[in-house]
Amino acid sequence: MAVGPETLPEFHPVAGLRLGIASAGIKRPGRKDVVVFELAPSSRVAGIFTKNQFCAAPVTLSRRHLAEAAPRYLLINTGNANAGTGARGLRDAEACCQALANSAGVRDVEILPFSTGVIGEPLPVQKIVSALPEALADPREDRWAEAARGIMTTDTRPKGATRKVALGDHTVTISGISKGAGMIRPNMATMLGFIATDARIAPELLQTLASELGEKSFNRITIDGDTSTNDACMLVATGQYSGPEITPDSPQLPKLREALESVYLELAHAIVRDGEGATKFVTIDVTGAASQQEALDVAYTVAHSPLVKTALFASDPNWGRILAAVGRAGVENLDLEALEIYLGDVCLVRNGGRAEDYSEARGQAVMNGEEITIAIDLKRGNVRETVWTCDFSHDYVTINAEYRT
Amino acid sequence: MAVGPETLPEFHPVAGLRLGIASAGIKRPGRKDVVVFELAPSSRVAGIFTKNQFCAAPVTLSRRHLAEAAPRYLLINTGNANAGTGARGLRDAEACCQALANSAGVRDVEILPFSTGVIGEPLPVQKIVSALPEALADPREDRWAEAARGIMTTDTRPKGATRKVALGDHTVTISGISKGAGMIRPNMATMLGFIATDARIAPELLQTLASELGEKSFNRITIDGDTSTNDACMLVATGQYSGPEITPDSPQLPKLREALESVYLELAHAIVRDGEGATKFVTIDVTGAASQQEALDVAYTVAHSPLVKTALFASDPNWGRILAAVGRAGVENLDLEALEIYLGDVCLVRNGGRAEDYSEARGQAVMNGEEITIAIDLKRGNVRETVWTCDFSHDYVTINAEYRT
């Protein structure tokens, strides 16, 4: 199940980035489960990683390699997360990097590894290494759609976004893919995102963009409140376009940033739309907060409430559950008389209780839609935060009760 | 569905406390939905209430009345929570208290009102008032079992506990009932608990006991992380037993406290066992924490993880999900190499990864049970906290998707 139509675009190739795909048979024979990004030497890479303290071996190693060298390859496998695997996990991730480095003629620190899948099983290094020749045999710029499929786990559909944007006289291309359907929550989740552009971007600016855009997109989505051990979202700038280097002072920056942001949001929203068992795409929009923390506390408390989520699944305008979630979000001294809660454009709560002009029919009309906005105005300040989530359905339970069997 | 057998005891009557039950037809005609506790003038009452800021009108009014006078009656209705009802809700709760006060010949401040049920609908005051003559017609000390049924909402079975304890030469009686099956979480939930003893207990000590015992029992259970607007747990001491007043220095206090604690725990655990859709009773036991806060953060993060809860439902020893939940609980600088995680007596995680002697068969054997303990030793200090929860099943979704329809 997923919300809305499948919308994998016709990807624009990104000059300087070639993709290879292979079957290592990690979980199922024949399934494409290894993806390699080959980056031109002019490339720069920045990213953000999971904040889960039990971060997986590939996350530890990618962070380390990123600090030591400019990456030439990203190596992604599905079917096994190489997480909760202790010291052996780190050695296994290193072995995969070393094998790819040997085959490609680069140093191992120039490889960034990414793994997603089941936690706690040893990484099948030999299977992955055996698949590398296939992954390196035919690297091409036009294999984005294959790559989008190659990084899927419980995803029901591939996720991608692509743009061409004129920056003055030069055209810049942006393409990206993402994966993830469960264990999705702020600060990343079994969520991977790879966004690439052929723009040339100053290194520090690239990290700033990777951090800020990731924060407001991938770190603002939640399916179930669980944060994976393996999340990563990488921004690659191959530097192969014809224009000048983009710096914090470049007049082109706002337009580039806007285009990148729309790709980040599209990829992050695609994960929510494909949330495990999702039937609704839900925007939680908190305004009038006194601080970012309280805005996020309220947004996530509503987004994670199983009672709100099951009501959304049932298309039940059970506004009392939304109100109760706001009330328990830990914000001190809420002004219950002042705050307002809306479902779409229908006011649910005003003056401390149900809005006078609310009717079940009006609430129901909003709830019947596939895309629903819950807007909460705390009337305490000027801070706004938005979080995206989905509902909680029978299929979520089925998927997660049967994942390993 | 519920975990374990139904175990409503043969209640011991508590001298000085009589119970009346009536049908007001609030949600369904004929259902017993009004319960009245009549307390002898010698009684003292203390309690704890929801911390949800959108607390319901009856909570506001009970707090106020409790501060003004010694209660003579508790008035409980199901079917309507009188929450999210603004100023009208308060007037409605007052009207019910006034009507009972008039009938019983006491002052309205001597009545404590409690409501549970759907949020946001106006309280049907007239129905409740019309049921009061029935509720007051035949108050008896032996109607605890009827009262336990009379306060049920989505509960599948009544909940009660009872004790007789010798304190030196005097025997003290304790009986209690509770209700709640969803929206249960620390700091109360659509959870009501009424515990009564015929002991005479000094007023300040009574409040201390009500707070401390409630904190370690009703405030340590969670079904779904949602906190209701209406929770309350009241401790009544009628003072009718033959012994002396119990004060903080009384030699009888430890034994009384122990008996009360076991009643509190039994009533709180009964709520978890009857959790909406529950098939497992799960104890989350965190030891070795550096502070109470981090112990609770870890315990609740595991207890609320939908991935852990669906794995419990599937009897799947998916220890990676437990590990991931511990890792995202927000405890800084966890010593991943030192901490240990157990499922029952089977070690899952040691030395930063899966324990060497772990096997799927051993994990599965524990998971197949109905009562499961997840023990997490953080190896950072000496603080221990225990939280009780249940699994997350298809029935949870069904119950909460269909509650209002």
Side-chain angles (χ1 to χ4, degrees), chain A residues 245-314:
Chain A
E245 178 168 271
I246 310 287
T247 68
D249 302 325
S250 299
Q252 301 93 332
L253 178 56
K255 202 167 172 192
L256 174 64
R257 188 192 164 92
E258 185 186 1
L260 282 168
E261 185 174 13
S262 79
V263 167
Y264 267 81
L265 280 173
E266 187 174 337
L267 291 174
H269 290 179
I271 291 174
V272 175
R273 287 175 196 281
D274 195 23
E276 288 170 351
T279 72
K280 306 276 187 185
F281 178 79
V282 184
T283 302
I284 315 277
D285 189 23
V286 177
T287 54
S291 70
Q292 184 185 46
Q293 190 58 52
E294 72 178 36
L296 291 174
D297 286 345
V298 169
Y300 282 123
T301 304
V302 173
H304 291 151
S305 162
L307 290 174
V308 171
K309 289 168 96 76
T310 48
L312 285 161
F313 168 56

Side-chain angles (χ1 to χ4, degrees), chain A residues 177-195:
Chain A
I177 58 177
S178 63
K179 69 125 311 212
M183 216 191 235
I184 302 296
R185 184 206 166 155
N187 311 324
M188 323 293 295
T190 304
M191 196 284 298
L192 295 174
F194 301 98
I195 296 96

Side-chain angles (χ1 to χ4, degrees), chain B residues 116-368:
Chain B
T116 176
V118 79
I119 296 178
E121 306 290 333
L123 189 72
V125 174
Q126 200 44 55
K127 286 184 177 177
I128 294 171
V129 169
S130 300
L132 291 179
E134 182 190 353
L136 296 173
D138 185 24
R140 293 203 315 266
E141 290 185 352
D142 63 356
R143 300 183 74 179
W144 279 94
E146 282 177 86
R149 289 193 179 84
I151 64 172
M152 289 166 62
T153 54
T154 57
D155 307 66
T156 69
R157 55 201 200 186
K159 301 164 183 70
T162 191
R163 302 281 187 280
K164 265 193 182 299
V165 186
L167 295 186
D169 298 336
H170 309 280
T171 297
V172 73
T173 300
I174 304 168
S175 286
I177 57 177
S178 64
K179 68 127 310 214
M183 216 191 235
I184 301 295
R185 177 189 180 172
N187 310 326
M188 324 292 297
T190 304
M191 196 284 298
L192 294 174
F194 300 98
I195 295 95
T197 173
D198 56 356
R200 195 142 51 91
I201 304 179
E204 283 178 24
L205 175 60
L206 191 71
Q207 183 60 57
T208 301
L209 288 169
S211 299
E212 291 182 2
L213 299 176
E215 184 65 22
K216 294 287 185 177
S217 57
F218 288 97
N219 279 350
R220 289 288 181 276
I221 61 175
T222 177
I223 306 294
D224 50 20
D226 274 293
T227 306
S228 151
T229 49
N230 288 59
D231 307 323
C233 180
M234 309 308 292
L235 177 58
V236 176
T238 65
Q240 306 257 312
Y241 92 133
S242 55
E245 180 168 270
I246 310 287
T247 67
D249 303 324
S250 298
Q252 301 93 333
L253 178 57
K255 202 167 171 193
L256 174 64
R257 188 192 163 92
E258 186 187 357
L260 282 169
E261 186 174 14
S262 80
V263 167
Y264 267 82
L265 281 172
E266 186 174 337
L267 292 174
H269 291 180
I271 291 174
V272 175
R273 287 174 195 281
D274 195 24
E276 287 169 352
T279 73
K280 307 275 187 187
F281 178 79
V282 185
T283 302
I284 316 276
D285 190 20
V286 177
T287 54
S291 68
Q292 184 184 47
Q293 189 59 52
E294 73 178 34
L296 291 174
D297 285 347
V298 169
Y300 282 122
T301 304
V302 173
H304 291 150
S305 161
L307 290 174
V308 171
K309 290 168 96 75
T310 48
L312 285 162
F313 169 55
S315 299
D316 175 5
N318 192 324
W319 59 273
R321 294 183 181 176
I322 302 172
L323 175 144
V326 172
R328 73 173 167 88
V331 179
E332 296 291 327
N333 303 315
L334 270 182
D335 186 345
L336 305 184
E337 295 300 313
L339 71 77
E340 296 181 352
I341 303 177
Y342 287 79
L343 191 64
D345 55 0
V346 175
C347 188
L348 299 177
V349 174
R350 191 188 283 132
N351 298 326
R354 186 169 56 182
E356 319 74 48
D357 56 348
Y358 175 77
S359 73
E360 193 83 359
R362 296 182 66 211
Q364 188 65 57
V366 177
M367 269 293 182
N368 289 343

